[in-house]
Amino acid sequence: MADDFEFADKVPPSFDSVGNASKGFNPGLIVLLLVGGLMLIFLVGNFVLYTYAQKTLPPRRKKPVSKKKMKKERLKQGVSAPGE
C-alpha cells in the first residue's frame, strides 16, 4: 500500500535543507532588525528635534505671581505688605 504513492521517495522542499542555515534569512531576525531599526530612527529623530527646539525656540515665560501669593511670601520673610 505504501508503494502506491507517487511521491513516497521524495522529500518536501521545506524539509530539504534543515541543516543548512545559510540558505535563507531567519524571519525572526528580520523582524527584530526591522523593529530595532525603527526604534533607533525614532529615538535619534526625537533627539535631533529636541536639540533643534532648544536652540530655536525662545525660553518659556514664567507665570505672573498673584498678589495673594506675593503677600504670603512677604509675610513669611517678615516684611509687612504695603497698606497694612
Side-chain angles (χ1 to χ4, degrees), residues 2-81:
D3 299 331
D4 297 341
F5 293 113
E6 192 175 326
F7 302 107
D9 58 339
K10 295 185 179 176
V11 178
S14 60
F15 296 110
D16 194 19
S17 60
V18 173
N20 190 3
S22 65
K23 184 95 175 173
F25 292 106
N26 184 0
L29 180 64
I30 292 173
V31 170
L32 184 69
L33 289 173
L34 186 69
V35 170
L38 289 174
M39 281 181 59
L40 187 67
I41 290 170
F42 176 75
L43 291 172
V44 168
N46 273 347
F47 178 74
V48 168
L49 285 174
Y50 176 76
T51 53
Y52 174 74
Q54 290 293 318
K55 289 178 185 175
T56 57
L57 292 177
R60 293 176 65 182
R61 282 193 247 159
K62 292 182 181 178
K63 284 185 177 178
V65 182
S66 68
K67 292 180 183 178
K68 194 174 184 182
K69 214 174 214 180
M70 280 198 324
K71 188 175 178 182
K72 275 187 181 179
E73 286 295 320
R74 285 186 184 148
L75 288 173
K76 277 184 188 176
Q77 292 175 359
V79 178
S80 63

